[in-house]
Amino acid sequence: MSQESHIVIIGAGFGGLACAKALGVRSPAKSGIDAPPRVTVIDRANYHLFVPLLYQVATAALSPADIARPVRRILGRYRNIDVVLGEATAIDTAERTVITTMGAVGPYDKLVIATGSRYSYFGHDDWAARAKGPRSLEDARAIRTQLLTAFEQADSTTDPVERNRLMTVIVIGGGPTGVEMAGAVAELARHSLARDFRHINPRDTRILLVEAGPRLLNGFPESLAAYAKRALEKLGVTVMLGQPVQDLTERGATIGGAMVPAGTVIWGAGIEAAPGVRMLGVPTDRAGRVAVNPDLSVPGLPGVYVIGDSALTMGDDGKPLPALAQVAAQQGEYLGRALAAEARGRPGAEPFRFHNRGNTAVIGRNAAVFDFGSVHLRGHAAWFLWALVHIYLLIGFENRLSVTLRWIWRYISGESGARLITPGEGASRTP
Amino acid sequence: MSQESHIVIIGAGFGGLACAKALGVRSPAKSGIDAPPRVTVIDRANYHLFVPLLYQVATAALSPADIARPVRRILGRYRNIDVVLGEATAIDTAERTVITTMGAVGPYDKLVIATGSRYSYFGHDDWAARAKGPRSLEDARAIRTQLLTAFEQADSTTDPVERNRLMTVIVIGGGPTGVEMAGAVAELARHSLARDFRHINPRDTRILLVEAGPRLLNGFPESLAAYAKRALEKLGVTVMLGQPVQDLTERGATIGGAMVPAGTVIWGAGIEAAPGVRMLGVPTDRAGRVAVNPDLSVPGLPGVYVIGDSALTMGDDGKPLPALAQVAAQQGEYLGRALAAEARGRPGAEPFRFHNRGNTAVIGRNAAVFDFGSVHLRGHAAWFLWALVHIYLLIGFENRLSVTLRWIWRYISGESGARLITPGEGASRTP
């Protein structure tokens, strides 16, 4: 077994999982090769997270368990895949070894970096603590707790000025994340919480969606962006275009020179590659991405690949591919198949090509936009298509079922999820 | 409205909620009285927790959202009930006011203390951090994370001694909680995680159930206790009777003079009243409970009542009633009705009497015990009855449905819940 090749994948997101699955062998005997490549997947979380739906956890529409699945459960069926729950801290490209908090992994024959992206605060790192974005379960929980706690405090305060501050939510960034967060917060306030308080009316919540650029959903067709703006305004969201955020404090945000007091500020303005790729010590672009070859390999580092949000790859139109789950998943599957073919002695893969499966953003119940390039959908049809696609994409039967039921139930009743306020400690039953 | 009476309830557990619901008026007009009592429910968590199923969250069989419901959602339909999300820090029985972290509540005409119970470490308060019990969501999450992390570490360590330690789980206390935890841990190891690891076999997990007394399930009939012991041993649990725990460290527990290294130690040994009742400054018994009058009022404190785990009340057999959800719920409903009648000018309630609905403990899939006093059930029948009863009891349609589906799915597939490892920070997608 010593001559079998060893492929190490860092990151169990959409890219890393797709790559691992394409390399997975359920029964070595049937794999048709004597020694299928040995695969090690490294992730610091024990679960794969369906990030595109995190905003629904942040707004208490879904629960963390609905969109997270154990990595070991997903990959357990593949006999040639090992999972290491640890954080990669260094890569020794000379020794071909990955150093993790659970020990050294390697030597590897091939290394795949699929560590995704994180929110970028344009140099204002201190803003990160004041305006979290729905990128990790912890951040989504933190947003949920901040949102719900603000309503509780508003209900108990007697100071009208403070109440107005607490009942103001600012969402920064007019991309899909910002649009979806603003819409979900509006539904939380107008439907789910509507009848829950005695001293405030959650319907009075002021929701500001702040975008520095001239329009929402940059990258979507103008017509769909205009529809999204109208749909958000119908939900009571105030859309502010051409308004960069100048400052963020514990009490609110400065927009257009004016300080807007807010109880909750949510970030969805921009992303950059996660620090993982920096371990390679190769040049990156302004967004921290590595420009990879057409086969997704890293120039100058034989056997090392970067896929997903951390990779700078070009589409057929010559523009960089966006940081989307479908891009990462397609790159992962492409690379997995290429490496599997190589292990079978059939190298020389075609360059990677992205096949657009459609780009979507949901504004609220019944309202979404869906862009297939040639076809533009919006409204009910887009929402249902969005729902179907996401239910289908959710990994694991149990999740798919329970999420579906939650959605249907919410759709019928207008009720929300469990919306737990979960501080680190002290939320036990007893005062 | 000033002459309407004000009833303050501290705690939104089974007792407090039942009391509030019995006092709740959906439409004041229809209530038949001009001024229905104004009710304020104080709890430091924004959710009601179905504590009897917390052990399933601790073993990743259920998710927190399955057994937690927003208090505001449950009580929102009652127009005369207000909810305060805060921690009661003091009670001024002279001014008839409750001081909370969200401000003062009162003056009250009636005060109901339903703050439940917590685990008792028999004076070893330092043990609390080393062996948590399934009493709050935070503790259940902590147990889950410790359990799952121990398996991960065992899978990655090369030291066989350390691996054995990590794969040893000690459950302290042979009551229903200990029995249910031991059984659930066994199922987690033998079914849910069975195929997930490459370097360890979770089936090898050593599970010790340690009880100081001579038998399990004290309070249940001897025959059911004996059955529970056999059922646990069939699941691979080592039951140690007559073995008090002498010491607890980060590395394990000292039992019978011998140090037993363990990766996880779980506490289910004994409970005491939560500190809430101490705010009354009245005498309590060794378990911190207040001996109340037959109408659940506190001797010497007119208009103040204690219900549920914090109250010392006697059953028809002259023995203290156990700390059970059904006792708390019955006391809450009894008191709520009595106070409602009093508000209608019809005072003078019969003394409280507990009606036993049956006492149950589940050992695992297909195995449980059910004691109705005269009738003793065990095995399949008891398990199904237990499942039906708990599904029925779970508050909120959505929960009932999704829990049912999870159980059925788990029952068919042997798969477990999402079993997330959720550290305070740093479990985001990126290494």
Side-chain angles (χ1 to χ4, degrees), chain A residues 36-310:
Chain A
R38 193 160 55 87
V39 179
T40 304
V41 176
I42 303 169
D43 199 291
R44 78 186 202 178
N46 77 320
Y47 50 84
H48 166 74
L49 193 61
F50 196 88
V51 175
L53 284 177
L54 255 182
Y55 77 95
Q56 294 207 8
V57 172
T59 51
L62 291 176
S63 297
D66 296 325
I67 61 165
R69 297 294 290 159
V71 174
R72 292 190 184 280
R73 163 68 48 193
I74 297 167
L75 297 178
R77 68 184 80 122
Y78 304 107
R79 307 316 298 168
N80 61 324
I81 299 181
D82 190 9
V83 175
V84 172
L85 175 63
E87 178 167 357
T89 53
I91 296 169
D92 184 335
T93 48
E95 293 296 321
R96 307 180 79 82
T97 309
V98 178
I99 311 303
T100 80
T101 50
M102 291 292 236
V105 176
Y108 59 76
D109 300 288
K110 310 284 184 184
L111 175 64
V112 180
I113 304 202
T115 50
S117 55
R118 63 176 184 185
Y119 280 105
S120 147
Y121 291 83
F122 311 128
H124 299 277
D125 293 349
D126 54 316
W127 290 5
R130 296 168 196 164
K132 295 188 184 300
R135 209 74 187 169
S136 71
L137 268 188
E138 286 62 45
D139 288 349
R141 276 208 193 89
I143 293 170
R144 182 179 68 184
T145 293
Q146 191 180 0
L147 264 173
L148 298 175
T149 305
F151 283 109
E152 294 290 344
Q153 291 168 336
D155 189 62
S156 66
T157 185
T158 54
D159 172 358
V161 175
E162 176 67 357
R163 184 182 302 127
N164 288 340
R165 181 185 79 84
L166 290 163
M167 291 181 69
T168 301
V169 179
I170 299 176
V171 179
I172 301 170
T177 302
V179 166
E180 291 181 322
M181 282 300 304
V185 170
E187 299 215 311
L188 176 70
R190 278 155 185 72
H191 298 293
S192 315
L193 301 180
R195 295 178 306 279
D196 281 4
F197 295 91
R198 294 281 167 271
H199 312 292
I200 60 169
N201 181 352
R203 292 192 180 86
D204 300 337
T205 306
R206 206 168 139 233
I207 304 164
L208 306 180
L209 178 58
V210 184
E211 164 61 34
R215 52 165 285 192
L216 296 178
L217 296 176
N218 193 7
F220 281 77
E222 181 61 59
S223 62
L224 294 186
Y227 165 80
K229 184 167 182 293
R230 288 197 306 277
L232 283 169
E233 285 164 348
K234 222 161 88 189
L235 280 172
V237 176
T238 305
V239 179
M240 302 171 71
L241 300 176
Q243 297 283 6
V245 171
Q246 290 140 328
D247 192 22
L248 270 184
T249 70
E250 297 299 328
R251 309 281 305 167
T254 306
I255 304 159
M259 162 69 178
V260 182
T264 308
V265 183
I266 299 164
W267 190 264
I271 58 170
E272 63 187 5
V277 282
R278 292 190 204 148
M279 294 187 287
L280 291 175
V282 298
T284 62
D285 73 351
R286 237 175 63 264
R289 296 175 296 185
V290 174
V292 293
N293 299 320
D295 66 352
L296 307 181
S297 62
V298 177
L301 289 180
V304 179
Y305 303 80
V306 178
I307 61 175
D309 295 1
S310 291

Side-chain angles (χ1 to χ4, degrees), chain A residues 10-14 42-49 51 61 63-66 68-73 75-88 102 114-118 132 135-139 141 144 148-149 151-153 155-156 191-199 274-276 279 397-399 401-402 405-406 409 414-431, chain B residues 10-14 42-49 51 61 63-66 68-73 75-88 102 114-118 132 135-139 141 144 148-149 151-153 155-156 191-199 274-276 279 397-399 401-402 405-406 409 414-431:
Chain A
I10 306 178
F14 288 98
I42 303 169
D43 199 291
R44 78 186 202 178
N46 77 320
Y47 50 84
H48 166 74
L49 193 61
V51 175
S63 297
D66 296 325
R69 297 294 290 159
V71 174
R72 292 190 184 280
R73 163 68 48 193
L75 297 178
R77 68 184 80 122
Y78 304 107
R79 307 316 298 168
N80 61 324
I81 299 181
D82 190 9
V83 175
V84 172
L85 175 63
E87 178 167 357
M102 291 292 236
T115 50
S117 55
R118 63 176 184 185
K132 295 188 184 300
R135 209 74 187 169
S136 71
L137 268 188
E138 286 62 45
D139 288 349
R141 276 208 193 89
R144 182 179 68 184
L148 298 175
T149 305
F151 283 109
E152 294 290 344
Q153 291 168 336
D155 189 62
S156 66
H191 298 293
S192 315
L193 301 180
R195 295 178 306 279
D196 281 4
F197 295 91
R198 294 281 167 271
H199 312 292
M279 294 187 287
F397 166 79
E398 184 190 343
N399 279 9
L401 182 63
S402 72
L405 287 162
R406 275 207 174 69
W409 172 244
E415 188 183 325
S416 177
R419 54 173 187 277
L420 309 182
I421 295 178
T422 52
E425 292 300 325
S428 80
R429 192 89 259 90
T430 61
Chain B
I10 306 178
F14 288 97
I42 303 168
D43 199 290
R44 78 186 204 180
N46 77 320
Y47 49 85
H48 167 73
L49 193 61
V51 175
S63 297
D66 296 325
R69 298 294 288 157
V71 174
R72 292 191 185 279
R73 163 69 48 193
L75 298 178
R77 67 184 79 124
Y78 303 107
R79 307 316 298 167
N80 62 324
I81 300 181
D82 190 8
V83 175
V84 172
L85 176 63
E87 178 167 357
M102 292 290 236
T115 50
S117 54
R118 63 177 185 184
K132 295 188 184 300
R135 208 75 187 169
S136 71
L137 268 189
E138 287 62 44
D139 288 349
R141 277 207 193 88
R144 181 179 70 185
L148 298 175
T149 305
F151 282 109
E152 293 291 343
Q153 291 168 335
D155 190 61
S156 67
H191 297 294
S192 315
L193 301 179
R195 297 178 306 279
D196 281 4
F197 295 91
R198 294 280 169 272
H199 311 292
M279 293 186 288
F397 168 79
E398 183 189 345
N399 278 10
L401 182 62
S402 72
L405 287 162
R406 275 208 174 70
W409 171 245
E415 190 183 323
S416 179
R419 55 171 187 274
L420 309 180
I421 294 179
T422 52
E425 292 299 327
S428 81
R429 191 90 261 91
T430 60

Side-chain angles (χ1 to χ4, degrees), chain B residues 68-329:
Chain B
R69 298 294 288 157
V71 174
R72 292 191 185 279
R73 163 69 48 193
I74 297 167
L75 298 178
R77 67 184 79 124
Y78 303 107
R79 307 316 298 167
N80 62 324
I81 300 181
D82 190 8
V83 175
V84 172
L85 176 63
E87 178 167 357
T89 54
I91 296 169
D92 185 333
T93 48
E95 294 296 321
R96 306 180 78 83
T97 308
V98 178
I99 312 303
T100 81
T101 50
M102 292 290 236
V105 176
Y108 58 77
D109 299 288
K110 310 285 184 183
L111 174 64
V112 180
I113 304 204
T115 50
S117 54
R118 63 177 185 184
Y119 280 105
S120 150
Y121 291 84
F122 311 126
H124 300 278
D125 294 350
D126 55 315
W127 290 6
R130 297 169 194 164
K132 295 188 184 300
R135 208 75 187 169
S136 71
L137 268 189
E138 287 62 44
D139 288 349
R141 277 207 193 88
I143 293 169
R144 181 179 70 185
T145 293
Q146 190 179 0
L147 264 173
L148 298 175
T149 305
F151 282 109
E152 293 291 343
Q153 291 168 335
D155 190 61
S156 67
T157 185
T158 53
D159 171 359
V161 176
E162 177 67 356
R163 185 181 302 126
N164 288 340
R165 182 186 79 83
L166 289 164
M167 291 182 68
T168 300
V169 179
I170 299 177
V171 180
I172 300 171
T177 302
V179 166
E180 291 181 323
M181 281 300 302
V185 170
E187 299 214 310
L188 176 70
R190 278 155 186 71
H191 297 294
S192 315
L193 301 179
R195 297 178 306 279
D196 281 4
F197 295 91
R198 294 280 169 272
H199 311 292
I200 60 168
N201 182 352
R203 291 192 181 83
D204 300 337
T205 306
R206 201 166 142 236
I207 304 164
L208 307 180
L209 178 59
V210 184
E211 165 59 36
R215 53 166 285 193
L216 295 178
L217 297 176
N218 192 7
F220 280 77
E222 182 60 59
S223 63
L224 295 185
Y227 165 80
K229 184 167 182 291
R230 289 197 306 276
L232 283 169
E233 284 165 348
K234 222 162 90 189
L235 280 172
V237 176
T238 305
V239 179
M240 301 171 71
L241 300 175
Q243 296 282 7
V245 171
Q246 291 141 329
D247 192 22
L248 271 183
T249 71
E250 297 299 329
R251 309 282 303 167
T254 306
I255 304 161
M259 162 69 175
V260 183
T264 309
V265 183
I266 299 163
W267 190 265
I271 59 171
E272 62 187 7
V277 282
R278 291 191 207 146
M279 293 186 288
L280 291 175
V282 298
T284 61
D285 73 350
R286 239 177 62 261
R289 297 175 296 185
V290 175
V292 293
N293 298 320
D295 67 351
L296 307 181
S297 63
V298 177
L301 288 180
V304 178
Y305 303 80
V306 177
I307 60 175
D309 296 0
S310 291
L312 174 59
T313 46
M314 298 304 170
D316 295 343
D317 58 2
K319 294 207 212 101
L321 291 174
L324 293 174
Q326 61 176 321
V327 174

